[in-house]
Amino acid sequence: SLTRFSYINGAEDFLRFIRSPDYFGYSREITLIDRVGSQISPRIRNDSQIIDLGPGDGQKAIRLRTNLNGRISDYLAFDMSQQMLNAARISQDIAIPNINREYVLCDFSNRDELRRELARGNHRDRLFLLLGNTLTNEVDMGNFLQNFRLIVNQTNRCRNYLLLGVELLAQDINQIVREYRSEENYVLTFRPLETLGVNRQDGVIDSPLSRAGNASGGTLRNAPVRRIIRRPGIYDGSVYQSACR
């Protein structure tokens, strides 16, 4: 997926996207983390480790660690973008300064690289975080998760847990369209394409939805949003009003 390359030199673009007033997926996930923290806490033993794959701005791990009542003693973040690792470190230096933290430049989509990094650690209970857009950046999510489970079990004899999040979509179609056709998302999506010589003027971001709703305020049922590039057209910042046909 080209999208995962948006973050290599685009940390500031990504942070602007998740903090933009039109994007609610970030705040929805924070709310869910706060809600399920008390349910997760009894399962996690003391001296456990969080391993954060694609930490973003680091805030989700901070909230989760707080909700786990001090059971986490170590934190390990993997990302293929040094800029994103730096962003997570800065926020966590203030919020969780008193636990062991490590930020590793790692393409965890590469099985050999992931296995090598996980094998370095001590055997202990581990809570893996795959939140936000991390999983949906994979071309084949099912294949990635199968390989991920195999590697995790091969590299740790203690308990392994996975907190998995996918893009949390609104029920209102216009809200979904507004989130994904924002200027911030457009900049982020086109970043890797521009390195291949594709300019913004070459297309627009399209959001094909199912017939379950309508563009005048219907609800969404079993209709995932995909981000594709459609030619020709020039993005003008307007809301896409013909999402369903």
Side-chain angles (χ1 to χ4, degrees), residues 16 22 49 88 109 113 124-125 170 175 187 192 196 201-202 215:
R16 275 193 292 269
D22 290 324
Q49 179 185 41
S109 295
E113 194 168 340
R124 63 170 66 193
D125 289 3
Q175 176 64 53
V187 170
L196 300 177
Q201 290 75 20
D202 294 334

Side-chain angles (χ1 to χ4, degrees), residues 28-45:
R28 290 188 198 108
E29 199 162 34
I30 289 287
T31 300
L32 280 174
I33 288 172
D34 289 341
R35 186 183 304 169
V36 304
S38 60
Q39 302 172 32
I40 297 173
S41 183
R43 297 176 177 270
I44 305 299
R45 297 188 291 190

